[in-house]
Amino acid sequence: MRKLVAVAVGVLAIAMTPATALAAPGPKAPPEFVALSDVDPTIVQEMRYFTPHDFVGERIDGYRRPMCILTRDSAEALHKAQMSFLRKGLTLKVYDCYRPQRAVDHFVRWAEDLSDQRMKAEFYPQVDKNRLFDDGYISAKSGHSRGSTLDVTLTRLPAIPTRPYHPGEPLKPCYGPQSARFPDNSIDMGTGYDCFDTLAHTLDPRIHGRQLKNRLLLKNGLEQAGFTNLPEEWWHYTLQSETFPTTYFDFPITRKSLTGRC
């Protein structure tokens, strides 16, 4: 009988222990990583994967805070570019920065579930979901996980925040005219962010006039600061001299990942 009582007390003690005390600590970022806001607080951050307004339709695994984390080298290079844009009455705005591997895994699981098409009408209206891997829109690895890649655009100053997306609201194609797309405070780049369409290719010949000028403005400014563009995505840039060119990280996006490092 005493053994049964002892077991019952032990089980009760475990049940009453706060969940946070039982949770294993997440991996920490190496000291080369920083919060972008600590290097340049003037760069606007609209971290899409922390919200349901993305091609999956929900917050992505690993995005515990709406913050941009980058390697210090990348953050300082982005600050350099920002200084030149501010003189033109513009500001950089980041949609995504470091992306943990668990987030990439989330994308892969979603892409394999062909029944989940809730965001198709906005982000991939002309692409069959079963083509996302073959066409290169989804991959098991992402340069974002190395910490020197970011998704970025330009916004005129003063930057009025973009209104939030409300799940279930009508979706509009990402490749439509700017006035017909989901509202975004960035200058017109010809498509919305994360548009799975060839029109999002940086130098697509159908892009001309003001839209092309805006893409080249972003491209030239970032290249002068040491970044290179992915030709298939006008918003995607990587620091040429990556701090971790072959290492993929999986620490969650939270301030705690940058403190108390092992």
Side-chain angles (χ1 to χ4, degrees):
M1 185 67 178
R2 288 180 182 175
K3 278 188 178 180
L4 290 175
V5 170
V7 169
V9 170
V11 170
L12 180 61
I14 292 174
M16 294 178 65
T17 302
T20 53
L22 295 175
K28 299 294 184 182
E32 289 86 353
F33 280 85
V34 296
L36 175 62
S37 60
D38 291 344
V39 175
D40 191 326
T42 70
I43 296 175
V44 177
Q45 299 189 30
E46 185 182 312
M47 310 310 292
R48 285 286 189 89
Y49 298 139
F50 182 78
T51 79
H53 190 210
D54 54 48
F55 56 84
V56 176
E58 63 190 21
R59 185 188 299 182
I60 304 304
D61 291 352
Y63 287 79
R64 299 181 186 174
R65 291 290 182 271
M67 63 183 292
C68 171
I69 292 176
L70 288 169
T71 58
R72 180 174 292 280
D73 291 340
S74 301
E76 291 178 349
L78 203 61
H79 168 69
K80 177 182 175 182
Q82 174 74 339
M83 292 301 98
S84 68
F85 286 125
L86 289 176
R87 289 192 287 271
K88 297 180 174 71
L90 298 165
T91 177
L92 289 166
K93 180 175 82 169
V94 291
Y95 292 113
D96 193 36
C97 299
Y98 158 75
R99 181 185 305 165
Q101 180 61 45
R102 68 192 72 184
V104 179
D105 296 341
H106 191 165
F107 291 163
V108 170
R109 291 194 305 273
W110 166 82
E112 291 173 340
D113 180 5
L114 299 183
S115 66
D116 185 352
Q117 307 255 351
R118 72 188 107 160
M119 303 302 284
K120 178 177 175 63
E122 178 174 350
F123 292 96
Y124 55 107
Q126 298 190 104
V127 180
D128 288 336
K129 193 174 181 183
N130 61 9
R131 294 286 313 167
L132 295 182
F133 288 106
D134 291 340
D135 291 351
Y137 293 113
I138 301 294
S139 175
K141 290 289 185 181
S142 169
H144 283 271
S145 301
R146 301 195 298 264
S148 295
T149 293
L150 63 148
D151 295 338
V152 62
T153 188
L154 286 169
T155 298
R156 296 201 180 282
L157 293 170
I160 301 172
T162 299
R163 75 164 177 83
Y165 162 77
H166 302 289
E169 70 174 273
L171 300 176
K172 300 175 182 179
C174 57
Y175 54 73
Q178 187 177 37
S179 60
R181 301 194 299 262
F182 183 87
D184 190 308
N185 63 1
S186 68
I187 61 178
D188 188 7
M189 296 292 188
T191 76
Y193 168 59
D194 256 358
C195 190
F196 294 0
D197 194 275
T198 55
L199 200 65
H201 292 187
T202 307
L203 299 179
D204 186 281
R206 293 166 292 175
I207 296 296
H208 47 78
R210 175 61 62 179
Q211 295 172 343
L212 178 59
K213 183 178 180 181
N214 289 341
R215 289 188 184 189
L216 293 177
L217 178 65
L218 176 65
K219 185 174 184 288
N220 293 337
L222 289 175
E223 285 179 346
Q224 290 175 18
F227 291 92
T228 25
N229 173 242
L230 178 68
E232 291 77 20
E233 297 177 349
W234 61 256
W235 55 82
H236 182 116
Y237 285 85
T238 299
L239 188 68
Q240 289 182 11
S241 53
E242 287 189 69
T243 310
F244 297 103
T246 60
T247 307
Y248 296 80
F249 296 93
D250 191 39
F251 58 86
I253 298 174
T254 175
R255 175 64 72 167
K256 289 183 178 179
S257 293
L258 301 174
T259 60
R261 310 182 203 215
C262 302

